[in-house]
Amino acid sequence: MENWSPEQVDKALKAGEIILVDVREPGEYENERIPGALLLPLSTFDPAALPTGQGRKVVLHCAAGGRSGKALQACAAAGSDVVTHMAGGMGAWKAAGLAYYQIEPSTGQMVLKG
């Protein structure tokens, strides 16, 4: 398993080198998400559904790193070559001051933060 920092993920995402897959649940993703991240919830996670073979590395993330670690275990069991997740998840991303979308409670609008 490869643990990438939020800064590594941000740089690779901006360079178009990775596909970032969020394994949190839909409600979490709707409330806040990293720009460009795709959703594939752990509750319905299927390694065969990952967008591989596009010349980019797939990196998984969740809220704190636990669920993306479980998703990586599922990938390994399925013989997938996906081996990377973002250490610390969304919490670490926000702590690093990186950009993310979040619902503004007072308006219900999605705003860019960070």
Side-chain angles (χ1 to χ4, degrees):
M1 177 183 348
E2 294 179 21
N3 295 306
W4 280 23
S5 70
E7 294 82 4
Q8 284 175 290
V9 171
D10 184 51
K11 182 179 176 184
L13 189 61
K14 287 177 178 172
E17 298 169 349
I18 65 167
I19 298 171
L20 184 60
V21 177
D22 189 334
V23 299
R24 297 175 304 150
E25 295 305 309
E28 294 171 285
Y29 181 85
E30 290 171 12
N31 286 328
E32 62 181 13
R33 63 182 165 269
I34 296 170
L38 306 176
L39 178 64
L40 188 58
L42 185 61
S43 61
T44 58
F45 188 78
D46 178 2
L50 287 168
T52 59
Q54 300 177 18
R56 295 184 283 170
K57 183 180 197 106
V58 174
V59 177
L60 306 178
H61 92 86
C62 62
R67 286 177 282 181
S68 56
K70 288 180 183 177
L72 285 179
Q73 290 173 352
C75 289
S80 170
D81 62 355
V82 175
V83 297
T84 308
H85 80 134
M86 182 170 69
M90 191 73 188
W93 183 272
K94 291 168 31 177
L98 299 170
Y100 65 98
Y101 289 112
Q102 183 176 46
I103 293 287
E104 179 60 47
S106 64
T107 64
Q109 298 296 312
M110 186 66 71
V111 295
L112 189 62
K113 303 249 182 175

